[in-house]
Amino acid sequence: DGGITQSPKYLFRKEGQNVTLSCEQNLNHDAMYWYRQDPGQGLRLIYYSQIVNDFQKGDIAEGYSVSREKKESFPLTVTSAQKNPTAFYLCASSDGLANKETQYFGPGTRLLVL
Amino acid sequence: AQSVTQLGSHVSVSEGALVLLRCNYSSSVPPYLFWYVQYPNQGLQLLLKYTSAATLVKGINGFEAEFKKSETSFHLTKPSAHMSDAAEYFCAVSDLKSSASKIIFGSGTRLSIRP
């Protein structure tokens, strides 16, 4: 059964702590994305990767970091520099580099600050 | 630059009534347009997409949308609302200036269904 998995479903961060959100896909998609969703707002792009070992900043990359060492994995680290990390984080993937490609989304991770 | 505006952050209709969710886009070239649905605490699911073929696009769950270039609109409709349609709906447009498959999302419309 192909799809995108995100873990954990809920994540709690303490002050000054870095946390990592997992995103795995078995769709054999080249491109992967991380979005942040806040209440009453649309999705905002944090980082995206078009191919293994390459990634680009999105619109709100400050305080976040990513890696793309494997095609199927695109973990997101929320660093202590991100002062307002409480949000719903969504990972997505798409097949190919053409801009018409549909993005498929994982179930999301909700990050809360203790 | 491409952008999307969803008119109405919250729409409420009675069960069995027509659903109309409005979306207007801004793009200097023919766009690719999408409607996604999000149920509480879940990811987004593609409802339908327009990719310059037929202007009336049919999607899942009985939804459809019509691309109107003259009005720069891509409104989502369903003839008869069902309780299970209650969710948040996002209109989106491809960022054609980007070499990657970047999508720009609207701010969303929450659809409520009254019994």
Side-chain angles (χ1 to χ4, degrees):
Chain A
D1 213 10
I4 302 174
T5 57
Q6 291 186 242
S7 61
K9 188 174 178 66
Y10 295 95
L11 186 58
F12 298 91
R13 193 189 92 162
K14 295 180 181 178
E15 202 73 36
Q17 184 182 39
N18 292 353
V19 293
T20 298
L21 286 62
S22 169
C23 177
E24 304 276 333
Q25 54 99 358
N26 61 6
L27 300 168
N28 200 34
H29 284 171
D30 286 313
M32 296 186 74
Y33 312 81
W34 274 106
Y35 292 92
R36 170 179 172 142
Q37 185 178 25
D38 294 282
Q41 298 187 35
L43 280 65
R44 293 184 289 170
L45 184 63
I46 304 172
Y47 268 98
Y48 64 99
S49 168
Q50 299 179 64
I51 200 166
V52 174
N53 293 322
D54 185 55
F55 49 83
Q56 286 79 39
K57 293 182 179 180
D59 301 318
I60 55 165
E62 186 174 350
Y64 300 96
S65 65
V66 294
S67 63
R68 186 88 186 275
E69 298 176 0
K70 298 187 294 184
K71 186 175 185 178
E72 59 270 23
S73 178
F74 192 41
L76 173 74
T77 296
V78 184
T79 74
S80 57
Q82 173 49 246
K83 298 306 179 187
N84 184 23
T86 298
F88 191 49
Y89 291 86
L90 289 160
C91 178
S93 70
S94 67
D95 183 14
L97 306 179
N99 52 33
K100 64 181 183 294
E101 297 297 340
T102 302
Q103 292 186 14
Y104 297 90
F105 285 80
T109 292
R110 188 166 298 281
L111 177 60
L112 301 165
V113 177
L114 294 176
Chain B
Q2 285 76 28
S3 66
V4 170
T5 302
Q6 290 185 242
L7 302 175
S9 59
H10 185 210
V11 170
S12 180
V13 302
S14 297
E15 190 174 17
L18 171 71
V19 174
L20 171 60
L21 304 183
R22 299 178 187 274
C23 173
N24 288 89
Y25 69 91
S26 171
S27 177
S28 57
V29 296
Y32 291 96
L33 295 159
F34 307 82
W35 274 101
Y36 283 88
V37 60
Q38 184 182 34
Y39 299 100
N41 293 311
Q42 295 187 26
L44 275 67
Q45 179 183 7
L46 180 70
L47 273 179
L48 49 83
K49 68 176 181 180
Y50 167 77
T51 56
S52 74
T55 57
L56 183 63
V57 182
K58 294 187 183 299
I60 62 172
N61 302 338
F63 284 94
E64 63 183 35
E66 186 173 8
F67 173 71
K68 290 187 176 181
K69 184 178 178 180
S70 60
E71 298 176 8
T72 60
S73 69
F74 190 57
H75 302 330
L76 182 71
T77 60
K78 182 174 180 177
S80 176
H82 192 271
M83 295 300 290
S84 61
D85 294 327
E88 184 128 24
Y89 292 80
F90 292 93
C91 183
V93 62
S94 283
D95 182 357
L96 298 177
K97 287 188 176 180
S98 170
S99 60
S101 302
K102 291 177 67 177
I103 293 180
I104 298 168
F105 288 86
S107 55
T109 297
R110 183 169 300 280
L111 176 64
S112 299
I113 311 297
R114 301 188 300 270

